[in-house]
Amino acid sequence: MDEDASRSSLTDEEDYVDDNDNDNGEDYEATIEEEELLDDDGDYADELKGWNFFAFLLSFTCITFCITSDLEDEGEMTIEELQRKYGYNPPGNAEETADDGNSAGDSSSAAHEHSILDLGNSQSGYEDDDDDYAPPDPWKRTIRVDPVLFQADVPDIGKSQATDAREDDVVLWVSDNTNPPSDEVLNSYLKDIVELRKTHDQSVPPAGCESRDDEDALCALYRNNFDTEKAKESFPFPHINAPFRTVRPDALGFSEEESKIFEESLQMYGKDFALIGKMRMPYRKVGELIEYYYQWKLTPSYRVWREAHPQHVPVVQPHLSAAWHQQAADNGPFTEPSTSEGPSTLSN
Amino acid sequence: MNSNGPLQEHGKRRVAYYYDSNIGNYYYGQGHVMKPHRIRMTHHLVLNYGLYRSMEIFRPFPATFEDMTRFHSEEYMLFLKSANPDNLKSFNKQMLKFNVGEDCPLFDGLYEFCQLSSGGSLAAATKLNKQKVDIAINWMGGLHHAKKSEASGFCYTNDIVLGILELLKYHKRVLYVDIDVHHGDGVEEAFYTTDRVMTVSFHKYGDFFPGTGDLKDIGAGKGKLYSVNVPLRDGITDSSYQSIFKPIMTKVMERFDPSAVVLQCGADSLNGDRLGPFNLTLKGHGECARFFRSYNVPLMMVGGGGYTPRNVARCWTYETSIAVDREVANELPYNDYFEYFGPNYRLHIEQSNANNENNPELLTKLQADVIANLEKLTFVPSVQMRPIEDDALRSMNDGSALADMADPDRRLPSEVTDQMIQDEGDFYDGEREGDDRRNESDGKRAAQMDSEGAK
């Protein structure tokens, strides 16, 4: 791999966001602070608040709709804007309010946004009710109490010992407790394994980190009672912590052709890997696409793709993809994307 | 029994580490800030720092449906098990009811993801119960917002609650500490009314998810005073965090005297997190792990939030190094995801010059209020103080009560016999073979003694 090119900081430019409400199809792995450095003197604190507010809204749109009108008072964004942005449709009846009945978030508990830490008097939130009207704190929640609905059943000590028979975990490495192999022994063993791998055309760590812990080699050593010679004889080693649930053991690497399809699909569907799988690569498991995605991000082709799609917005918006999944499941591959239509299967 | 205070910092601890490589291959969805891939990045750093060899490594058995319904409702788990992106149309109503769909999307492999995350914490708890290790780590876990019948804040199943329930089978009192930037509401709610679990959460409070965690929320019923909340404001730094964390936790350890501790290491309290407004560095965050390591008490460390993946990987790698007590270089070792750690490729992160809204007066007052509540605790509460019956016997943690009460004609469960320690003066063969003295002693005599011993 072209190490210089890929090293030159994947993160400081790729995840540039020009404002906080458009998802251009990127995984934001840079920090907000770093993004701010790109603008001079951006208002860091405000930006963060925007994000928090955004996260909060996302979290609560479902169960707090009945009170969200209050948000208009405090947010710079209107509900209509937010709904448009996040594709949210109000549920007709808020079933959840029943569960949430004792919530402090309801409008009766007058609250003081800026005095929440003024808690010397633990009742202050309630006693200051006679102040001028302050909008209620729609963000506040309380812990709900109902042993059936909300609390865990706490087991008695010593009881139900029989029920804790879980299937055993797979042991991958436990050092010899009585006579642990020294770092020198391990390092030289791991070095030998690197050589073995080379002679068998297996991938090896780059120069300089030959002695990194090799899970498969250490497992072989453990299973051969820390006898390095016997362990080496057992080579080639099985891949002991392979992601066998998400990646088929015999899954091949991506061919050039597949990589091309993958990149096209990203442009089309964004990172809805399940949809990509269904539409374009049905012979792949979703996990294989995700694993490939994170490897692909380290390659020069990713940089090329980014440059070709600087402000990429997938044709299928994330909130619509649920509908698309349904459509795909119902009709097989679809014909015409209709992104303008309000979704969704989520709300009614 | 654990009140003898901090031990020497450099005592050796046996550390178990739980990881399943599938975990990085689940994806919440386009634009979603929660990325399971961060756990794979952590794992690669752990490998490349050579920390792996210093631990015991396990791939946990995924939690079963029955495992998870020990806390979660069957209806909710059935929904998680059967719903997928292709059939969600038929689950409209449940999705609303269980809060799945918006920030807790229904992604491909969701149920498996829950099984792995919960399986790790259950296995970690079981390992601690068997006293096979002193510290058990599961970075796949820490999903503290999940409720009994509801997903919340990117969390679907609450591995922490499941792990604590497992610990409670052997431990009178379990302490849960949460240093995620968000309030640990799911765990607090699950144990809100019990005095056998104390939950302590340090979090940003005020117009912030999940909206719970007010200082005045202290638990209910029998659990009153056993929920502790430390609501903080934006921009808290390492030094000001530790100035309140240490005194409060020291007091908690003294008053509650837990026999096991679960530390949720949510990394969204670090500077530069995409969601969290705190200003901690790895050092201040890791200091919390160091604090509990210094006590001679079984410790479970789980992950949690953290939305700047490379900083999450840095943080949990550093905390793994603290658990095994190995120094790690600030230069990151080359690894499969090295490029993600640019531009500086170092382990540690800097703090920013963001304003710290937690001034010393505020923290002092907060600390005083929290400690005043802790002072109200009956000194070292426990099951022993409940009505007598056989509770008192059961509460003996070492299983000796079980052995004493057991039917002599039946074999004891291995959990009990594992912990039996033969008296030095015993010359006869125990239930377990392999004692060297066996070869030195008179066979006849031993047999005789053995039959006496069995009476």
Side-chain angles (χ1 to χ4, degrees):
Chain A
M1 198 198 324
D2 180 356
E3 215 172 277
D4 279 330
S6 53
R7 267 195 198 200
S8 63
S9 178
L10 186 75
T11 41
D12 60 355
E13 57 187 272
E14 61 145 3
D15 285 336
Y16 175 76
V17 210
D18 53 347
D19 62 31
N20 61 12
D21 56 278
N22 103 8
D23 179 354
N24 64 356
E26 245 334 302
D27 271 337
Y28 304 131
E29 270 132 18
T31 68
I32 289 165
E33 199 188 341
E34 283 161 356
E35 283 162 11
E36 286 304 326
L37 288 176
L38 298 173
D39 300 337
D40 349 33
D41 284 309
D43 190 337
Y44 175 76
D46 275 1
E47 192 76 11
L48 270 179
K49 272 187 185 131
W51 274 101
N52 297 335
F53 182 60
F54 165 54
F56 157 72
L57 270 176
L58 266 184
S59 314
F60 276 97
T61 37
C62 256
I63 57 169
T64 59
F65 188 77
C66 53
I67 53 164
T68 44
S69 59
D70 293 324
L71 292 174
E72 288 176 7
D73 295 339
E74 48 177 277
E76 306 86 358
M77 294 188 255
T78 67
I79 291 302
E80 288 73 24
E81 259 180 282
L82 286 163
Q83 282 174 354
R84 230 183 0 263
K85 269 176 207 153
Y86 306 116
Y88 175 72
N89 269 0
N93 59 336
E95 284 185 8
E96 297 309 302
T97 47
D99 287 351
D100 222 9
N102 56 352
S103 161
D106 65 5
S107 45
S108 66
S109 75
H112 301 264
E113 243 196 336
H114 300 293
S115 64
I116 42 162
L117 288 180
D118 176 21
L119 293 159
N121 171 4
S122 63
Q123 300 297 314
S124 61
Y126 294 92
E127 286 176 358
D128 293 351
D129 272 0
D130 52 355
D131 283 355
D132 288 343
Y133 172 77
D137 285 345
W139 54 269
K140 275 200 182 176
R141 287 290 173 281
T142 48
I143 296 297
R144 303 161 299 183
V145 177
D146 181 318
V148 175
L149 293 177
F150 305 119
Q151 272 71 52
D153 288 329
V154 173
D156 287 337
I157 280 188
K159 236 186 174 179
S160 62
Q161 307 255 349
T163 62
D164 60 9
R166 283 174 46 79
E167 282 209 42
D168 280 341
D169 316 310
V170 182
V171 185
L172 301 184
W173 165 253
V174 175
S175 190
D176 190 345
N177 279 327
T178 50
N179 184 23
S182 67
D183 270 348
E184 290 71 43
V185 171
L186 287 179
N187 286 343
S188 98
Y189 166 72
L190 290 170
K191 219 175 233 165
D192 292 348
I193 299 303
V194 171
E195 293 310 314
L196 261 177
R197 287 195 188 282
K198 275 183 191 157
T199 58
H200 285 74
D201 277 336
Q202 294 187 349
S203 66
V204 292
C209 37
E210 289 85 355
S211 66
R212 73 169 170 189
D213 290 341
D214 175 332
E215 298 171 274
D216 300 339
L218 287 175
C219 187
L221 187 60
Y222 164 74
R223 289 181 181 173
N224 285 287
N225 276 318
F226 307 97
D227 182 328
T228 50
E229 291 312 310
K230 266 167 81 183
K232 280 184 233 171
E233 279 165 32
S234 73
F235 189 85
F237 305 135
H239 193 6
I240 42 96
N241 200 352
F244 62 91
R245 286 167 208 283
T246 49
V247 176
R248 291 162 299 154
D250 53 347
L252 299 170
F254 276 47
S255 66
E256 239 174 76
E257 176 64 15
E258 262 190 306
S259 308
K260 213 172 133 249
I261 299 178
F262 182 80
E263 290 176 21
E264 286 169 15
S265 312
L266 270 187
Q267 185 188 354
M268 182 72 181
Y269 308 113
K271 287 169 294 176
D272 187 335
F273 297 108
L275 196 58
I276 292 176
K278 200 179 321 279
M279 294 305 189
R280 299 296 301 276
M281 304 162 103
Y283 49 91
R284 284 285 183 188
K285 292 189 83 164
V286 179
E288 290 166 25
L289 300 176
I290 297 167
E291 190 171 89
Y292 177 72
Y293 167 72
Y294 283 113
Q295 286 159 6
W296 174 72
K297 280 188 84 175
L298 303 168
T299 64
S301 354
Y302 168 74
R303 300 180 68 82
V304 173
W305 189 88
R306 279 308 299 163
E307 275 156 31
H309 306 88
Q311 284 299 312
H312 173 248
V313 179
V315 176
V316 182
Q317 295 291 306
H319 61 267
L320 289 176
S321 62
W324 279 51
H325 273 288
Q326 195 59 52
Q327 204 177 334
D330 292 348
N331 310 329
F334 53 85
T335 46
E336 198 64 29
S338 57
T339 48
S340 58
E341 196 186 301
S344 78
T345 55
L346 296 188
S347 50
N348 242 4
Chain B
M1 123 195 185
N2 296 306
S3 53
N4 37 8
L7 291 181
Q8 270 195 326
E9 171 55 25
H10 287 281
K12 189 166 160 44
R13 303 281 189 278
R14 294 163 301 170
V15 181
Y17 173 92
Y18 290 86
Y19 178 72
D20 187 309
S21 64
N22 288 289
I23 203 76
N25 289 338
Y26 300 98
Y27 196 79
Y28 274 60
Q30 168 102 29
H32 202 291
V33 289
M34 176 61 119
K35 300 187 192 312
H37 175 61
R38 66 208 176 119
I39 302 157
R40 171 161 47 204
M41 290 167 68
T42 306
H43 184 70
H44 279 267
L45 277 185
V46 165
L47 279 172
N48 286 281
Y49 264 124
L51 295 170
Y52 185 92
R53 65 179 70 175
S54 309
M55 302 187 283
E56 303 184 4
I57 314 290
F58 304 93
R59 188 170 64 210
F61 190 76
T64 62
F65 187 86
E66 288 69 32
D67 286 335
M68 295 190 282
T69 49
R70 281 183 2 215
F71 172 53
H72 295 288
S73 73
E74 289 220 359
E75 194 196 2
Y76 175 51
M77 289 314 302
L78 267 176
F79 162 74
L80 290 183
K81 197 177 176 181
S82 31
N84 63 56
D86 292 333
N87 66 9
L88 50 79
K89 200 181 190 175
S90 48
F91 287 100
N92 275 341
K93 231 180 146 183
Q94 281 107 315
M95 288 183 67
L96 212 62
K97 179 173 179 188
F98 299 129
N99 191 30
V100 170
E102 289 288 331
D103 63 345
C104 300
L106 221 177
F107 58 85
D108 195 89
L110 167 60
Y111 184 70
E112 261 178 20
F113 174 78
C114 293
Q115 286 184 287
L116 297 180
S117 151
S118 294
S121 295
L122 274 168
T126 308
K127 187 71 70 184
L128 291 172
N129 278 346
K130 290 183 177 165
Q131 300 179 9
K132 295 282 169 66
V133 297
D134 306 299
I135 301 175
I137 298 175
N138 175 30
W139 298 130
M140 304 185 290
L143 304 180
H144 61 165
H145 294 307
K147 309 296 190 311
K148 198 170 189 172
S149 299
E150 198 181 302
S152 173
F154 322 152
C155 307
Y156 304 83
T157 53
N158 201 315
D159 61 285
I160 306 169
V161 171
L162 295 171
I164 292 175
L165 286 174
E166 189 64 37
L167 290 170
L168 285 170
K169 291 180 184 172
Y170 288 79
H171 294 274
K172 281 174 285 198
R173 290 179 303 278
V174 176
L175 173 66
Y176 171 70
V177 182
D178 189 316
I179 58 170
D180 194 284
V181 76
H182 300 98
H183 178 230
D185 58 338
V187 184
E188 181 176 296
E189 185 164 283
F191 299 114
Y192 207 57
T193 56
T194 179
D195 59 357
R196 287 186 56 206
V197 179
M198 177 178 278
T199 61
V200 184
S201 180
F202 295 78
H203 49 268
K204 149 89 181 165
Y205 185 71
D207 198 358
F208 198 67
F209 185 85
T212 47
D214 196 334
L215 172 64
K216 65 180 191 286
D217 295 341
I218 54 169
K222 218 183 226 171
K224 196 168 176 186
L225 296 172
Y226 292 89
S227 290
V228 178
N229 285 302
V230 187
L232 301 166
R233 295 182 185 180
D234 289 4
I236 195 162
T237 57
D238 287 349
S239 55
S240 80
Y241 198 87
Q242 286 307 319
S243 77
I244 188 160
F245 183 86
K246 279 195 173 149
I248 288 179
M249 291 322 304
T250 304
K251 183 57 90 179
V252 165
M253 293 304 278
E254 178 194 316
R255 301 295 299 195
F256 185 61
D257 189 25
S259 59
V261 176
V262 177
L263 178 63
Q264 197 265 18
C265 302
D268 45 8
S269 38
L270 295 174
N271 174 35
D273 188 79
R274 295 202 70 85
L275 298 185
F278 284 180
N279 193 8
L280 298 183
T281 73
L282 304 200
K283 286 171 183 154
H285 200 272
E287 195 57 30
C288 303
R290 215 184 290 279
F291 178 89
F292 291 108
R293 191 189 188 277
S294 71
Y295 282 86
N296 183 26
V297 54
L299 174 64
M300 178 160 143
M301 289 163 65
V302 293
Y307 307 102
T308 300
R310 56 206 163 88
N311 287 351
V312 178
R314 288 176 159 116
C315 180
W316 293 346
T317 302
Y318 181 59
E319 281 160 12
T320 307
S321 82
I322 289 172
V324 299
D325 192 30
R326 284 179 70 141
E327 296 276 331
V328 281
N330 195 23
E331 287 300 314
L332 287 173
Y334 190 79
N335 65 82
D336 288 9
Y337 299 100
F338 191 63
E339 290 80 0
Y340 284 80
F341 296 96
N344 66 13
Y345 307 100
R346 297 223 170 80
L347 177 67
H348 285 285
I349 62 169
E350 302 294 321
Q351 94 178 26
S352 79
N353 52 13
N355 182 33
N356 181 358
E357 293 176 16
N358 305 271
N359 60 52
E361 299 75 49
L362 194 110
L363 291 178
T364 310
K365 173 128 185 48
L366 189 54
Q367 179 186 322
D369 289 347
V370 170
I371 286 186
N373 277 341
L374 290 169
E375 295 287 359
K376 286 184 213 154
L377 284 173
T378 324
F379 196 72
V380 186
S382 80
V383 257
Q384 287 148 318
M385 294 163 73
R386 287 188 190 163
I388 318 151
E389 287 190 62
D390 52 3
D391 268 13
L393 290 169
R394 278 209 210 104
S395 69
M396 294 171 73
N397 214 351
D398 57 9
S400 62
L402 279 162
D404 291 346
M405 296 186 302
D407 179 347
D409 292 332
R410 303 183 69 170
R411 197 189 182 87
L412 287 163
S414 61
E415 291 87 339
V416 176
T417 54
D418 277 355
Q419 289 173 31
M420 287 182 163
I421 298 163
Q422 213 165 55
D423 191 277
E424 293 278 60
D426 289 351
F427 291 110
Y428 51 82
D429 290 339
E431 285 204 4
R432 290 282 161 118
E433 306 286 14
D435 187 335
D436 282 337
R437 284 192 210 91
R438 182 167 177 254
N439 300 326
E440 295 160 16
S441 61
D442 181 303
K444 264 185 202 164
R445 187 174 183 271
Q448 206 180 359
M449 295 287 284
D450 198 16
S451 68
E452 273 171 36
K455 274 173 196 165

